[in-house]
Amino acid sequence: MVSERGLQVLRAIVQDYVDTREPVGSKAIVDRHQFGVSAATIRNDMALLEDEELIAAPHTSSGRVPTDKGYRVFVDHLAELRPLSTAQRSAIGAFLADTGDLDDLLVRTVRTLTRLTGQVAIVQYPSFAQANVSHVEVVHLGGPRIVLIVVTDTGRVSQRVTFLASEPTSDETAQLKHAMASLLTGKSVRDGVVAIGALLDEPAPEREDNTRIVLRTLAEELEEFRSDRLVMAGSATLARREADFRGSIYPLLEAIEEQVTLLRLMGEMVADDQGLATSIGRENEPFGLAEASVVAGDYDATGSRARLGVMGPTRMDYPSNLAAVRAVAHYLGRLLEEDEKAR
């Protein structure tokens, strides 16, 4: 069992190691923190922490650094979220204000998180399966090219340039627009996919006609609306922090590129009563990310919930990162709610 003072010593080691990147010794703890006991007593506390595998010596005769287990105890019991400064909160509000569509808002969100934390920032798109299609547009660009535009009542906009089998006349373009609008407008994204699928299941002509090309393209776009996706920023921070990783940063870069791993990881993280969750070091081993920590928070997205967060080395400032994630999630949810009310 670790004493209360021992846990406070762990807190001091985590804080000092995060601040300095140097292993922490008993003398440094006595000098920097007001424990009111001797270095010998602190050494005894550190020995007990080491027995519990909460700290470890990276080199012989060195100070101690937190283990993944030590970071977990720190986050669960010892970390106190640091309130963001007035300047930081103002910066969040200013950077997220006056955004365009949802895509622009989420891009700004991850850029804001990266600026606040210095880590890779991640935001998950809300699920749009329940969103309703509010507008469909077909615009002839000349020759066989058209652009298909789909808008949902949640503000999501899709634009896709498509090549038809033949150049449409102005009447055919108008007919395509009317047919697609009648088929989809007012339907949920999920129901729209089903309706298109039923039409595509009907016997097809020997040569694919313009209508089937448009239906197939719209089905692909609506499926994109249904699928989980991530927006990320700050990948370059991994290279700047490479010294904080015991091994290669390649698995993290691969996860950023492929997204599926991060979607699974963020989906399985269990949030606390504040909507915050952390997954630290070896806890991420099943996802091939044992060198990384992920801090995530839930945000409300027009009737559903999604997540945003940051990913970086286990040696990160958890209290500040948790506070930043919580604040940005709050701002994002509020903006989406205001946008919904304005519709």
Side-chain angles (χ1 to χ4, degrees):
M1 294 291 292
V2 180
S3 67
E4 181 61 31
R5 189 182 63 233
L7 291 175
Q8 297 308 315
V9 170
L10 173 62
R11 183 208 299 266
I13 291 171
V14 171
Q15 292 175 342
D16 287 358
Y17 182 60
V18 169
D19 289 343
T20 68
R21 197 185 273 116
E22 296 293 333
V24 182
S26 56
K27 185 177 184 303
I29 292 175
V30 170
D31 291 343
R32 293 175 187 157
H33 303 273
Q34 304 300 317
F35 280 97
V37 297
S38 67
T41 301
I42 296 297
R43 280 196 296 273
N44 184 60
D45 290 329
M46 293 174 69
L48 294 174
L49 291 172
E50 195 162 9
D51 289 342
E52 295 290 332
E53 300 181 340
L54 300 177
I55 60 174
H59 308 290
T60 305
S61 302
S62 74
R64 301 298 186 266
V65 301
T67 62
D68 293 350
K69 183 179 177 182
Y71 283 123
R72 168 52 64 196
V73 171
F74 171 77
V75 169
D76 287 349
H77 303 291
L78 301 171
E80 297 176 354
L81 271 62
R82 299 170 188 164
L84 298 187
S85 67
T86 302
Q88 287 174 316
R89 291 186 176 278
S90 297
I92 294 173
F95 200 66
L96 296 186
D98 300 323
T99 54
D101 56 21
L102 179 69
D103 296 323
D104 179 46
L105 176 59
L106 297 187
V107 167
R108 286 172 175 256
T109 296
V110 289
R111 288 177 179 172
T112 301
L113 261 180
T114 290
R115 290 183 179 186
L116 288 173
T117 66
Q119 310 287 351
V120 177
I122 308 163
V123 64
Q124 180 184 22
Y125 267 91
S127 172
F128 289 97
Q130 296 301 323
N132 293 321
V133 177
S134 59
H135 186 72
V136 179
E137 187 70 56
V138 180
V139 180
H140 185 207
L141 299 178
R145 291 190 310 151
I146 61 169
V147 61
L148 296 172
I149 303 170
V150 181
V151 183
T152 71
D153 58 2
T154 57
R156 181 80 187 277
V157 179
S158 163
Q159 297 186 58
R160 173 93 169 262
V161 174
T162 300
F163 286 83
L164 300 179
S166 59
E167 180 174 0
T169 63
S170 57
D171 285 345
E172 185 180 4
T173 301
Q175 290 169 3
L176 282 170
K177 174 185 174 181
H178 176 73
M180 297 306 117
S182 298
L183 178 66
L184 297 176
T185 302
K187 285 189 172 70
S188 71
V189 169
R190 181 183 286 113
D191 290 345
V193 171
V194 172
I196 292 175
L199 291 175
L200 290 175
D201 285 341
E202 295 177 357
E206 290 185 8
R207 182 172 180 269
E208 191 168 44
D209 60 16
N210 288 346
T211 299
R212 290 185 67 85
I213 291 174
V214 170
L215 286 170
R216 184 163 41 79
T217 304
L218 285 173
E220 291 172 358
E221 290 302 289
L222 293 180
E223 283 290 354
E224 279 291 309
F225 281 13
R226 295 176 66 186
S227 66
D228 284 331
R229 289 193 297 145
L230 298 174
V231 179
M232 286 175 277
S235 299
T237 64
L238 294 177
R240 292 197 293 270
R241 296 176 178 272
E242 193 165 6
D244 286 327
F245 295 92
R246 295 183 295 271
S248 170
I249 63 172
Y250 177 77
L252 281 76
L253 296 173
E254 189 175 50
I256 290 170
E257 183 176 350
E258 295 187 358
Q259 295 198 2
V260 176
T261 297
L262 288 176
L263 280 166
R264 284 179 49 226
L265 171 56
M266 292 184 73
E268 293 185 16
M269 292 170 67
V270 179
D272 61 18
D273 55 4
Q274 298 184 70
L276 297 172
T278 56
S279 192
I280 300 171
R282 291 178 184 174
E283 296 169 2
N284 299 318
E285 200 160 15
F287 304 94
L289 296 172
E291 292 280 320
S293 285
V294 178
V295 172
D298 295 335
Y299 71 92
D300 291 318
T302 59
S304 63
R305 292 181 76 80
R307 279 189 165 161
L308 57 81
V310 297
M311 177 177 68
T314 55
R315 191 194 76 87
M316 67 163 59
D317 187 343
Y318 291 95
S320 294
N321 290 347
L322 284 163
V325 165
R326 182 176 63 179
V328 173
H330 172 74
Y331 273 89
L332 178 58
R334 191 179 70 184
L335 287 171
L336 290 172
E337 181 182 4
E338 290 173 353
D339 183 67
E340 176 70 12
K341 289 178 179 178
R343 291 180 183 281

